[in-house]
Amino acid sequence: MLKYYTYRLPFKQPFRTAGSEFSHREGIILVYKEDGIEAYGEIAPLPGFSEESLEQIKEVLKINHEHLQESIRTGEGKQTLTVLDQIHRFPSLSFGIDALLHDLEAKKANKPLGRFLFPDFPESVKANATLSIQEPAQVISKAKDLTEQGFTTLKVKVGKNFNAELKLLQDLRHQFPDLAIRIDANQSWTKDEAIQNLKALDSLNIEYCEQPVHKDKFSDMAAVQEAIKTPVAADESLRNKKDATELSELKAGRLFIVKPMLLGTFDTIFVTKRTADTHNIEVVVTTMLESAVGRAMTSILAAGLGNQKRAHGLATGSLLDNDISSDEWMNNPVIRFPEKAGLGISLDMEGLKKLF
């Protein structure tokens, strides 16, 4: 039996990114039960990033509930997913259904999902933490706290006042000479500003800069990368397979920031990874601030597809005031995967609201 549940999880404090501010995270949890097995998927479009809305997703699920349930029962869920993906082109819907189908298959095989998907699945994957720009003393204090927790990579949000940000990054590097520091400009700079600013950071050994220019200006991304030595990472620019191909051919960066909830089906995610590999582009995988179900799935994909030498954007559970699972393994600086079948988590069903 297939059921849908909604959640609304508040953040500990308002979360700001790419010009948007979020007080809470909303989404839908898919739960399928069969012969004592319970499989999960999550659908969580993020306003400002995803083109589809949660209300659109709810309508599609309402119309297709019986057919999707029956197709999963008869082993034809993948075919139904393909049709829904082609008709609606709602990546978060496709990702949630595909995650549920893979979780179900892994549990039927009694294998952890990571080892079910990837023959050489690692035991763990590193996560980075994120610093917002505040008073320098606060940033240094927060960085000290995070490194003491075990984080070896910190991402710093920039793009508002570069002179102040430069000073702060210099202080961070002085205080933490061995720390991997990456920055996220969130499309804040013009091409010329990006080149000038990133050249000013040359001595600080910045790991990479995410999205220095507007997401649609692929040629500007390429020009910035050609002019500087710091690696550029495509984040908001990477929305589908077509973007991946165009960015690769233009050499518009040396890394892809892959958000599975934004790309859609596992086929699309794996094709994006192959495109990156073909063009010698590294992959870093990040969540979209989902609940534990989405983060567990994203962590598995990060370990299986992402660059193992880099940390990935997975430690976002700490931003939430509460969650739908009490499992904590995906909330650490080094995520170690449990020896449990499927996703490796259980849900606290209390608090979830049945959709219909």
Side-chain angles (χ1 to χ4, degrees):
M1 181 176 292
L2 178 64
K3 294 183 179 180
Y4 311 138
Y5 300 87
T6 61
Y7 69 78
R8 181 184 173 95
L9 301 174
F11 289 114
K12 292 177 180 176
Q13 56 188 19
F15 186 86
R16 299 175 179 86
T17 182
S20 300
E21 180 174 301
F22 305 97
S23 62
H24 60 272
R25 190 70 169 99
E26 291 182 300
I28 297 169
I29 300 299
L30 311 179
V31 180
Y32 180 78
K33 297 182 180 181
E34 178 184 309
D35 297 332
I37 292 174
E38 191 169 278
Y40 309 127
E42 177 170 352
I43 304 168
L46 184 62
F49 288 81
S50 304
E51 294 185 3
E52 70 274 21
S53 70
L54 200 59
E55 292 306 313
Q56 289 175 310
I57 299 295
K58 290 177 182 178
E59 188 63 27
V60 173
L61 289 176
K62 184 176 181 179
I63 293 170
N64 292 280
H65 177 239
E66 294 298 327
H67 177 62
L68 180 57
Q69 177 177 261
E70 181 63 13
S71 68
I72 296 173
R73 187 188 69 80
T74 59
E76 298 176 345
K78 186 66 175 178
Q79 292 91 319
T80 299
L81 168 60
T82 299
V83 172
L84 290 175
D85 187 58
Q86 290 174 345
I87 292 174
H88 299 287
R89 301 193 183 280
F90 292 163
S92 61
L93 171 69
S94 298
F95 177 68
I97 296 173
D98 220 354
L100 179 139
L101 294 174
H102 281 88
D103 188 33
L104 180 62
E105 290 176 11
K107 284 173 176 170
K108 285 182 175 180
N110 197 29
K111 284 187 175 182
L113 183 52
R115 288 200 277 111
F116 181 79
L117 284 171
F118 305 102
D120 299 316
F121 190 70
E123 293 181 354
S124 64
V125 64
K126 292 189 296 183
N128 70 270
T130 300
L131 286 172
S132 58
I133 294 295
Q134 306 172 52
E135 290 298 317
Q138 290 178 291
V139 175
I140 297 298
S141 176
K142 181 64 174 176
K144 184 174 184 296
D145 179 53
L146 290 168
T147 56
E148 288 176 350
Q149 291 178 36
F151 287 99
T152 58
T153 301
L154 298 184
K155 180 167 77 171
V156 181
K157 298 282 188 176
V158 299
K160 294 190 179 298
N161 180 335
F162 182 71
N163 288 333
E165 292 157 358
L166 173 61
K167 177 63 168 61
L168 185 143
L169 290 167
Q170 289 171 333
D171 290 345
L172 268 177
R173 176 53 72 214
H174 176 72
Q175 293 280 343
F176 306 97
D178 298 324
L179 184 68
I181 301 173
R182 57 183 64 160
I183 61 174
D184 184 358
N186 279 131
Q187 312 178 65
S188 297
W189 299 327
T190 66
K191 178 184 68 175
D192 291 340
E193 286 172 341
I195 293 171
Q196 179 179 338
N197 293 346
L198 290 169
K199 283 185 174 179
L201 297 173
D202 273 351
S203 65
L204 301 183
N205 191 27
I206 298 300
E207 184 184 19
Y208 60 75
C209 174
E210 289 182 26
Q211 206 61 49
V213 299
H214 191 275
K215 64 183 180 181
D216 295 329
K217 295 187 176 181
F218 290 8
S219 58
D220 283 1
M221 288 270 286
V224 171
Q225 184 63 92
E226 185 177 11
I228 65 168
K229 70 177 187 179
T230 300
V232 168
D235 184 3
E236 286 89 350
S237 291
L238 183 61
R239 295 155 292 193
N240 50 52
K241 291 184 289 187
K242 180 176 177 292
D243 288 338
T245 299
E246 188 173 347
L247 288 162
S248 299
E249 292 176 349
L250 287 172
K251 298 182 179 179
R254 298 179 198 160
L255 297 100
F256 281 169
I257 307 300
V258 170
K259 293 182 169 75
M261 188 71 72
L262 192 62
L263 288 182
T265 65
F266 282 36
D267 285 346
T268 296
I269 295 165
F270 278 65
V271 166
T272 301
K273 165 65 174 172
R274 289 196 294 271
T275 299
D277 288 347
T278 301
H279 293 83
N280 199 30
I281 295 172
E282 296 181 39
V283 167
V284 170
V285 180
T286 77
T287 75
M288 283 177 64
L289 310 176
E290 304 99 325
S291 80
V293 172
R295 297 198 317 278
M297 187 70 252
T298 301
S299 297
I300 290 168
L301 291 172
L305 299 175
N307 185 295
Q308 292 302 303
K309 295 181 180 179
R310 298 192 188 274
H312 299 263
L314 308 171
T316 54
S318 61
L319 302 172
L320 297 170
D321 197 39
N322 54 68
D323 206 345
I324 63 172
S325 174
S326 58
D327 291 278
E328 291 287 337
W329 58 262
M330 77 288 289
N331 296 331
N332 298 305
V334 177
I335 295 172
R336 303 188 187 282
F337 298 97
E339 281 295 320
K340 296 180 181 179
L343 276 174
I345 63 171
S346 57
L347 297 191
D348 298 331
M349 300 302 293
E350 189 174 343
L352 288 175
K353 180 181 178 182
K354 193 176 292 187
L355 184 52
F356 48 78

